[in-house]
Amino acid sequence: MTTAYVNGHFLPMESAMVHIEDRGFQFADGVYEVVACFNGHFLDMGPHLERLEQSCAAINIPLPCTLERLAELVQETWRRNPFQDAMVYIQVTRGAAPRAHLAPDNLVPTLVITSADLPKPSESKLAKGAKAITLADFRWKHCEIKSIALLASVMGKQEANRRQADEAFWLDGEGHVLEGCSTNIFAVINGTLVTHPLDHQVLGGITRKMLIRVAHDAGIEVQERPWKLDEPGLTETMLTSTTNAALPVCFMDDKPVGNGVPGPMTRKLRGLMIDAMDALRAS
Ligand code: PDD
């Protein structure tokens, strides 16, 4: 049985509840984070909590406690659950109140933290690479906020699944690749690692940042600029997220990317990221 943290209490998952008038339930009026934990050591806890603070600030929800206290609660939630490698989910909503678009002042935010087994890509997915489709972006214009309003992402994943793919890549009106439903996207173009710059159309992924850091350290040039899938010299694409690290994407809309197999740059960068995670686990 797993244990969840809800508003000051650790409870068995079955009895962990929030109010039916919680604004997260009624308006998706909240934000979240997913942090990976390796044997009790959290990967980039600081940046995740800072991003949560920024998401809360962007929609005017006061942080339910200090970031130091939040880090303790996240650690404690991991400790009370049986998963060595875990993904810890943190959700903050504006709180519970009779349904009205404008919330009353001084509402107490809802804080929920859960821990689950860290999903990892299967060996066959790593060997063959993932498949993606492309969709015209129909999300809202504040994708930099890690909002719990994920309906467009759910619809994108449903369409990807219907077409036997793993992820949908959002394209802007000119065909630039923005990001995936729950991932950031990189391409290798003429040996350079390329990804869309940070703006309101993409989430500033913590894994995106890690990949850029790892690439710089390995002497690989990185460009943050708009790019398209049909650019000459494009040989690889990969996605990044907390639960995937860097994962090769080898088919796009049923057509092979490059040779249709995981390319050398993706394999090298993924290897370096996995090494860093293994070192964290052993620390
Ligand atoms: N998703 N872009 C979007 C739209 C995302 O939802 C996510 C994360 C990312 C990658 O961010 P990070 O590297 O910080 O995990 C990019 C999480 C994992 C989720 O919704 O489960």
Side-chain angles (χ1 to χ4, degrees), residues 4 13 17 23 39 44 48 51 70 73 92 94 97 115 139 159 170 172 184 186 192 221 248 268:
M13 187 62 102
M17 305 282 166
R23 293 180 61 89
N39 193 30
D44 286 333
H48 278 283
R51 186 172 65 184
L70 198 49
L73 291 171
V92 179
R94 201 175 301 277
S115 181
R139 303 170 302 161
E159 182 60 12
W170 300 115
D172 74 6
N184 291 113
F186 289 76
T192 298
E221 193 197 333
K268 176 174 180 165

Side-chain angles (χ1 to χ4, degrees), residues 9-21:
H9 305 281
F10 287 97
L11 298 164
M13 187 62 102
E14 288 71 15
S15 48
M17 305 282 166
V18 294
H19 199 284
I20 60 164
E21 287 190 310

Side-chain angles (χ1 to χ4, degrees), residues 13-279:
M13 187 62 102
E14 288 71 15
S15 48
M17 305 282 166
V18 294
H19 199 284
I20 60 164
E21 287 190 310
D22 192 277
R23 293 180 61 89
F25 181 54
Q26 295 193 325
F27 293 103
D29 188 0
V31 295
Y32 75 106
E33 276 300 322
V34 178
V35 197
C37 181
F38 298 92
N39 193 30
H41 304 282
F42 284 84
L43 182 64
D44 286 333
M45 172 89 94
H48 278 283
L49 295 188
E50 280 155 28
R51 186 172 65 184
L52 185 71
E53 188 177 31
Q54 285 159 15
S55 295
C56 281
I59 62 170
N60 294 315
I61 293 181
L63 265 187
C65 57
T66 63
L67 292 189
E68 292 72 27
R69 177 72 186 132
L70 198 49
E72 283 169 16
L73 291 171
V74 166
Q75 186 83 49
E76 183 61 14
T77 306
W78 173 81
R79 208 188 56 75
R80 289 180 186 239
N81 282 285
F83 312 108
Q84 286 301 302
D85 286 359
M87 64 170 182
V88 176
Y89 178 79
I90 312 163
Q91 180 170 317
V92 179
T93 76
R94 201 175 301 277
R99 187 183 180 282
H101 285 69
L102 188 62
D105 289 337
N106 305 321
L107 215 50
V108 179
T110 297
L111 173 60
V112 170
I113 309 172
T114 56
S115 181
D117 204 14
L118 181 66
K120 289 172 191 160
S122 66
E123 286 306 318
S124 90
K125 184 99 342 133
L126 289 173
K128 291 187 199 152
K131 296 179 180 168
I133 61 165
T134 55
L135 293 176
D137 192 11
F138 56 80
R139 303 170 302 161
W140 75 327
K141 295 190 174 71
H142 273 299
C143 299
E144 80 282 9
I145 300 172
K146 201 159 170 58
S147 157
I148 59 170
L150 292 173
L151 193 49
S153 305
V154 170
M155 291 170 71
K157 288 275 190 191
Q158 280 177 346
E159 182 60 12
N161 186 57
R162 194 183 68 77
R163 289 161 57 182
Q164 274 116 53
D166 306 287
E167 177 62 303
F169 289 4
W170 300 115
L171 305 183
D172 74 6
E174 277 133 48
H176 299 117
V177 177
L178 299 171
E179 64 175 341
C181 293
S182 59
T183 56
N184 291 113
I185 313 297
F186 289 76
V188 179
I189 304 176
N190 295 319
T192 298
L193 194 60
V194 183
T195 193
H196 196 278
L198 293 181
D199 63 13
H200 65 283
Q201 301 173 100
V202 298
L203 180 75
I206 307 299
T207 324
R208 175 189 183 280
K209 202 170 174 185
M210 179 181 183
L211 183 64
I212 291 173
R213 193 171 62 234
V214 164
H216 274 145
D217 291 351
I220 295 163
E221 193 197 333
V222 181
Q223 289 178 358
E224 296 182 59
R225 63 162 177 88
W227 60 278
K228 293 186 185 179
L229 284 160
D230 61 359
E231 274 192 41
L234 187 152
T235 49
E236 302 177 36
T237 55
M238 68 191 89
L239 57 79
T240 63
S241 77
T242 296
T243 50
N244 284 294
L247 184 69
V249 178
C250 298
F251 280 84
M252 190 74 59
D253 291 327
D254 288 325
K255 290 189 279 292
V257 178
N259 300 329
V261 292
M265 179 88 89
T266 309
R267 284 189 279 118
K268 176 174 180 165
L269 289 170
R270 179 179 171 82
L272 291 169
M273 290 173 94
I274 298 299
D275 286 350
M277 291 166 190
D278 287 344

